[in-house]
Amino acid sequence: MSFLNYISKLLIIFLFIFSQCLLSQNNSSVKPKLVVGIVVDQMRNDYIYRYWNRFGEGGFKRLINDGFYFKNAHYNYIPTYTGPGHSSIYTGATPRTHAIIANDWHIKSTTISNYCVSDTGVKSIGCTNKNGKMSPKNQLSSTIGDELKISTNQMGKVFSIAIKDRSAILPAGHAANGAFWFDEITGNFISSSWYIKELPSWVNAFNNKNFPKVYLTKGWQTLYPISSYSNSLADNNNYEASPVKKEAITFPYNYKDFIEKNDFSIIKSNPYGNTITKDLAISCLINESLGKDNIPDLLCISFSSPDYIGHYYGPRSIEAEDIYLRLDKDIEDLLNTLDEQVGKNNYTIFLTADHGGADVPNHLIDYKIPAGYIKEKYLVTEIKKFLQRSFGDSSLFENNSNEQIFLDARKINQLNLKTAEVESKLADFLITINGISEAFTSSTLKTQCFYKNDYPTLLQNGYNHKLSGNVCYIYNPAWMDYSEKGTTHGAGYNYDTHVPIIFYGNGIKKGNYFQYVSITQIAPTICELLQINQTNGCISDPLNEFFISK
Ligand code: ZN
Ligand code: ZN
Ligand code: ZN
């Protein structure tokens, strides 16, 4: 080879490498064609650790090994419920601002309770019952999807799917093309006239296949031999309740009675609830051509069934382990379909949970770990007795819900009392009750400043000045107002606030991070990836600097 020839070859190789560098740099600034948000209802972060060796390579492991995993992500407000959780993920705001302060909340000066997504002004689409009379009207700040819609002149498509209505509606936001949820009366996926006039043909086609019946006919056996579930307690144990009174709490589950009665509600508390959610999401992806052009689309998927399983059987049950091993397969199927339909690297995924879940208090008590139960009836009786003793009138009490006490404002006026004084004395009284550790008055929460992540700060972030009550109280760790089998969530303690946050795909590099990040950092991160306005009620920082090669 002549020297000149050698030099020109070297030059060609150099130019090739240089152009590839430019290309890859260019690629990393290309926006994803599709963002898929996955919320797993009640997924504690420790499930990733506990079930890791049991997961396949193509589901959770693929997201974590090839994506970016925030291992110390937390909810930054109280209460940690499904409605507020889904709102906070997609608005990047907390209940203080987005106003979804609970699943159901008391309306001041009435005896009425409001469900977070109920809306009498809209019609059910896809059924004749009231289960479709729902909308996001109570959610007061914009979602990722809303900002995408406005910045693309409506051309970016936004769809949302879940078993639970609130888990489909709140993520979808206000300007979405559609949100679909499961109607347990008909066994079909339905929607609301807020979004559409009639169900799209692909939803009708899906409903016509009657998947709930097809799946429930198979019953529920463990995916692997039951002896291999050594991460969990015995199948039959003292801490489990059944979704159906007096029914067994052991495998194999069979649903003959339900099928005979055409009752498909049981699919909610069963792994097939996840599977039909995934199947409908795939149908949406294909039929709505999501991720097919350069205008980004958003698909929100929420897997509701793990929450029902957690509530009934607890986080240490074989039922919980099995539903995650099966969800891992559903996620693998979803990822493979996204590769085929949208193309590897053309889509970005985030996966998180709407809250965690507590261990069953009785289980902890058996380990001599402090835990306990508070009964609402007892608490309300004590509060009324106290108000009678101190102010001569027990009817100052209006309502107790979501660990907040509402006082009757008219009564306070009539009796010439000062609100701040009644609140303050009531707060002092509440902490004398066994199982209640702290209580804060509305005036404290409206005016004081506390440390970041401290419990009163979490209360403050969850405190809506218009909607919330007069006194907020906090239980001791591992105390709850719940039945003595199964468990719940709602607190500001680690077991309820600590959830996984995983990003994967276009624009994301591999890695993990152990320092604190909060749930409200997801929305601004996705908005930055999409190069659109950050959601309007968000005051948290985006996480994108983790994904940029330095
Ligand atoms: Zn939930
Ligand atoms: Zn069991
Ligand atoms: Zn729940």
Side-chain angles (χ1 to χ4, degrees):
M1 197 194 295
S2 78
F3 181 69
L4 242 148
N5 217 329
Y6 177 73
I7 286 288
S8 68
K9 272 211 169 135
L10 214 71
L11 204 72
I12 287 167
I13 290 167
F14 174 77
L15 278 174
F16 178 77
I17 292 169
F18 184 69
S19 67
Q20 287 301 303
C21 281
L22 274 181
L23 255 172
S24 74
Q25 240 178 21
N26 235 342
N27 260 346
S28 68
S29 68
V30 168
K31 289 185 270 185
K33 294 180 171 185
L34 174 68
V35 171
V36 182
I38 301 174
V39 180
V40 183
D41 205 312
Q42 208 189 110
M43 183 171 184
R44 300 162 26 139
N45 185 67
D46 71 318
Y47 290 153
I48 303 253
Y49 304 151
R50 268 167 61 202
Y51 306 143
W52 184 258
N53 292 330
R54 308 269 278 164
F55 287 143
E57 293 303 315
F60 285 109
K61 272 190 177 172
R62 176 174 165 193
L63 293 177
I64 288 171
N65 289 336
D66 297 338
F68 202 101
Y69 176 21
F70 291 93
K71 296 185 162 192
N72 192 26
H74 289 265
Y75 273 81
N76 52 351
Y77 61 83
I78 294 171
T80 44
Y81 296 136
T82 297
H86 283 79
S87 260
S88 301
I89 293 166
Y90 283 90
T91 64
T94 64
R96 169 192 171 196
T97 308
H98 61 57
I100 302 298
I101 59 166
N103 291 332
D104 300 88
W105 61 84
H106 169 70
I107 299 176
K108 283 180 186 174
S109 306
T110 73
T111 51
I112 301 168
S113 167
N114 179 55
Y115 178 52
C116 59
V117 290
S118 79
D119 184 349
T120 51
V122 297
K123 283 187 277 188
S124 295
I125 301 294
C127 69
T128 51
N129 65 56
K130 288 179 180 171
N131 291 344
K133 290 171 80 70
M134 306 284 167
S135 86
K137 77 170 165 72
N138 293 321
Q139 179 173 257
L140 300 186
S141 45
S142 70
T143 60
I144 301 166
D146 288 341
E147 296 298 341
L148 180 65
K149 276 283 172 192
I150 199 138
S151 76
T152 60
N153 283 333
Q154 297 217 48
M155 295 205 299
K157 291 172 235 165
V158 178
F159 284 94
S160 185
I161 286 161
I163 292 283
K164 292 183 183 175
D165 46 18
R166 58 189 179 277
S167 307
I169 291 165
L170 298 168
H174 310 79
N177 299 72
F180 305 97
W181 55 94
F182 185 71
D183 170 28
E184 59 179 77
I185 296 177
T186 57
N188 286 335
F189 278 93
I190 59 165
S191 190
S192 143
S193 62
W194 177 278
Y195 305 103
I196 46 174
K197 291 198 179 77
E198 55 185 17
L199 288 184
S201 55
W202 55 268
V203 178
N204 278 325
F206 189 89
N207 285 338
N208 288 339
K209 288 185 184 149
N210 210 348
F211 284 119
K213 188 175 181 178
V214 173
Y215 284 128
L216 287 176
T217 308
K218 298 180 186 180
W220 179 15
Q221 291 89 22
T222 49
L223 186 60
Y224 302 111
I226 199 158
S227 58
S228 68
Y229 287 66
S230 52
N231 288 320
S232 303
L233 296 171
D235 189 14
N236 194 357
N237 66 66
N238 241 336
Y239 316 120
E240 290 186 9
S242 163
V244 198
K245 278 199 179 101
K246 290 181 196 152
E247 289 282 307
I249 49 165
T250 48
F251 286 98
Y253 291 92
N254 121 23
Y255 304 112
K256 264 191 198 136
D257 294 349
F258 292 90
I259 296 162
E260 270 167 23
K261 286 185 229 149
N262 259 341
D263 175 0
F264 303 113
S265 58
I266 194 73
I267 203 160
K268 295 186 300 179
S269 34
N270 176 289
Y272 302 129
N274 292 334
T275 305
I276 58 169
T277 304
K278 178 264 300 174
D279 288 343
L280 188 67
I282 286 177
S283 180
C284 177
L285 178 78
I286 294 168
N287 288 286
E288 296 291 346
S289 308
L290 301 183
K292 289 289 185 199
D293 57 28
N294 286 325
I295 302 162
D297 302 319
L298 173 67
L299 176 59
C300 317
I301 306 169
S302 184
F303 292 108
S304 309
S305 297
D307 181 63
Y308 294 100
I309 293 294
H311 280 295
Y312 290 119
Y313 303 97
R316 311 257 165 212
S317 60
I318 291 180
E319 286 83 351
E321 183 171 349
D322 198 63
I323 203 171
Y324 279 95
L325 299 185
R326 288 173 182 274
L327 177 61
D328 186 51
K329 303 269 179 255
D330 285 326
I331 288 173
E332 179 172 355
D333 187 17
L334 182 69
L335 293 178
N336 290 339
T337 311
L338 285 165
D339 290 345
E340 277 165 34
Q341 294 294 321
V342 185
K344 271 187 186 171
N345 243 327
N346 287 332
Y347 61 90
T348 304
I349 288 188
F350 70 83
L351 184 145
T352 189
D354 58 342
H355 49 75
D359 275 292
V360 177
N362 273 335
H363 186 202
L364 299 177
I365 289 166
D366 288 347
Y367 276 64
K368 299 181 197 160
I369 299 170
Y373 297 92
I374 280 200
K375 295 292 167 215
E376 145 139 74
K377 214 173 154 191
Y378 161 78
L379 182 60
V380 170
T381 310
E382 291 303 305
I383 292 168
K384 284 184 176 170
K385 280 200 270 183
F386 165 77
L387 292 170
Q388 184 69 40
R389 263 195 326 267
S390 309
F391 305 102
D393 196 338
S394 65
S395 67
L396 282 165
F397 173 85
E398 185 173 284
N399 176 271
N400 170 54
S401 49
N402 306 309
E403 283 104 73
Q404 297 191 2
I405 293 159
F406 292 78
L407 297 166
D408 187 330
R410 268 176 314 176
K411 262 276 140 57
I412 290 176
N413 266 336
Q414 274 172 19
L415 297 173
N416 265 326
L417 296 166
K418 288 202 169 66
T419 308
E421 194 195 331
V422 185
E423 286 182 351
S424 159
K425 284 193 169 160
L426 179 58
D428 287 343
F429 168 72
L430 282 169
I431 54 170
T432 66
I433 292 194
N434 192 25
I436 292 182
S437 59
E438 296 180 31
F440 297 88
T441 66
S442 74
S443 30
T444 305
L445 293 175
K446 282 176 189 168
T447 57
Q448 302 296 305
C449 197
F450 304 94
Y451 282 113
K452 190 188 172 192
N453 311 335
D454 198 2
Y455 302 116
T457 308
L458 302 188
L459 282 175
Q460 231 165 14
N461 291 341
Y463 194 88
N464 184 279
H465 288 213
K466 273 182 189 244
L467 302 174
S468 298
N470 294 88
V471 179
C472 301
Y473 55 90
I474 294 176
Y475 299 133
N476 292 357
W479 279 65
M480 60 175 67
D481 171 12
Y482 205 71
S483 69
E484 297 209 9
K485 286 177 193 275
T487 187
T488 194
H489 50 85
Y493 296 115
N494 277 326
Y495 49 80
D496 282 344
T497 62
H498 191 188
V499 294
I501 295 182
I502 303 160
F503 291 91
Y504 168 90
N506 183 295
I508 310 299
K509 78 172 192 188
K510 289 185 200 181
N512 50 53
Y513 186 65
F514 292 87
Q515 300 294 307
Y516 177 95
V517 299
S518 75
I519 200 71
T520 47
Q521 292 183 269
I522 294 174
T525 304
I526 295 296
C527 291
E528 286 302 326
L529 273 179
L530 293 173
Q531 298 166 32
I532 59 175
N533 253 343
Q534 291 184 14
T535 47
N536 59 18
C538 177
I539 51 171
S540 296
D541 293 330
L543 297 164
N544 305 63
E545 65 178 278
F546 290 103
F547 313 141
I548 297 163
S549 315
K550 285 175 188 145

